Amino acid sequence: GDVRARARGAIGADGTALIPLGVAEPWGARTVRVTLEAEVEDVGRQRVANRAVVVVHPASLYAGVRVPGGFGEVGKPMIVEVIAAGLDGKRVGAAPLAVKVSRREWKSIRRRDPDSGRFTTVSEPEQVAVKDCALMSDATAAVRCEVSPEKPGLYIMEATVTDSAGRKQMTTSSSYVAGGGWVSWQQTDSATVEMVADQKLYRPGDTARVLIKSPWPEAEALVTVEREGIISARRMTLKGSATAIDVPIDDAAVPNV
């Protein structure tokens, strides 16, 4: 990482030294880990060194943000829940919260290498503003910012809390929105299809919802569920680049599919 401060000092008779290094400030309203390194040299030019890591909090409060209920859907309200909590983890009320919701798009181009003459695909992310909410935290329940997505894709939620000293802390989360229409996902030199599950863990009897991130606006897909062989297979038409499908989970899926 970057070196933020350097200083020298002399060890006192008690074996310690107080060396001023300035104020440890966080960067971009986010928590940082600062590594402190010290080296001591004695009169015989023998050296010994050690290090310690400290956490620097940007504020006395933290914002928490999430979208419950798995994937959102185009045209249906998506609820963003936000809380404020102290450094002890307890919820705090009457703290200003600013929520910014945006949609991530990727701008992809084919770039020619001047040395080899080969073309490669380069993708760069771009955030498209969707909605801003100004809220006040509640110590007993999450406060809500309601969004109605008009397009499918990956939505980014940024929640910023301000403490009594005017210091800010920002927490970021994300959630996918499924639906018809084109999504400019990140592209590579070879077209790939990615799948994202709405949960990390399922139990028999659950229904997994899986988002298919397709690089094409419409395609025919063969969807299989496999574990030590093919459990099920179906053919379907993907109308759009962000189609969500339901996959029933039964005992045959244990321990994984």
Side-chain angles (χ1 to χ4, degrees):
D2 297 335
V3 177
R4 296 289 174 168
R6 294 178 185 271
R8 290 178 176 271
I11 301 294
D14 60 353
T16 64
L18 182 62
I19 301 175
L21 292 174
V23 179
E25 295 183 353
W27 295 273
R30 299 182 184 275
T31 305
V32 296
R33 294 167 64 90
V34 177
T35 301
L36 305 174
E37 297 181 347
E39 184 180 71
V40 178
E41 181 181 82
D42 66 10
V43 293
R45 295 189 179 278
Q46 297 184 88
R47 297 183 179 184
V48 62
N50 207 339
R51 66 173 58 184
V53 177
V54 296
V55 176
V56 179
H57 300 284
S60 62
L61 299 177
Y62 273 79
V65 57
R66 70 166 188 167
V67 176
F71 305 134
E73 293 187 32
V74 171
K76 294 185 178 180
M78 182 172 70
I79 304 300
V80 180
E81 294 185 343
V82 192
I83 66 168
L87 300 182
D88 58 0
K90 296 181 180 179
R91 293 189 182 185
V92 175
L97 290 162
V99 180
K100 181 179 294 185
V101 181
S102 60
R103 187 180 67 256
R104 177 171 295 171
E105 294 184 352
W106 292 87
K107 304 298 181 182
S108 301
I109 62 171
R110 297 280 290 171
R111 181 175 295 171
R112 182 178 181 274
D113 186 282
D115 297 324
S116 65
R118 297 179 58 185
F119 284 87
T120 58
T121 302
V122 178
S123 295
E124 295 183 353
E126 181 180 272
Q127 304 291 97
V128 179
V130 175
K131 186 173 183 179
D132 293 341
C133 292
L135 307 169
M136 195 67 69
S137 70
D138 189 320
T140 60
V143 291
R144 305 169 68 175
C145 174
E146 184 174 309
V147 183
S148 295
E150 297 180 356
K151 295 183 178 180
L154 179 63
Y155 282 69
I156 310 298
M157 283 68 66
E158 297 178 348
T160 302
V161 62
T162 304
D163 67 11
S164 57
R167 297 169 299 193
K168 299 180 183 295
Q169 186 276 331
M170 182 175 68
T171 300
T172 302
S173 184
S174 62
S175 182
Y176 285 98
V177 171
W182 166 251
V183 180
S184 57
W185 303 116
Q186 183 178 13
Q187 297 183 18
T188 61
D189 291 331
S190 58
T192 58
V193 175
E194 296 183 35
M195 293 186 291
V196 182
D198 64 340
Q199 296 179 199
K200 293 183 178 180
L201 181 66
Y202 299 94
R203 298 181 183 277
D206 292 345
T207 297
R209 192 156 175 79
V210 180
L211 180 75
I212 302 176
K213 298 169 61 176
S214 171
W216 304 288
E218 186 171 333
E220 291 294 315
L222 177 63
V223 181
T224 63
V225 179
E226 303 178 14
R227 181 179 178 271
E228 298 179 350
I230 298 176
I231 298 176
S232 65
R234 54 175 159 159
R235 179 178 175 177
M236 62 183 301
T237 300
L238 303 179
K239 295 183 178 180
S241 302
T243 302
I245 62 173
D246 292 332
V247 179
I249 304 297
D250 55 22
D251 292 334
V254 178
N256 53 56
V257 291

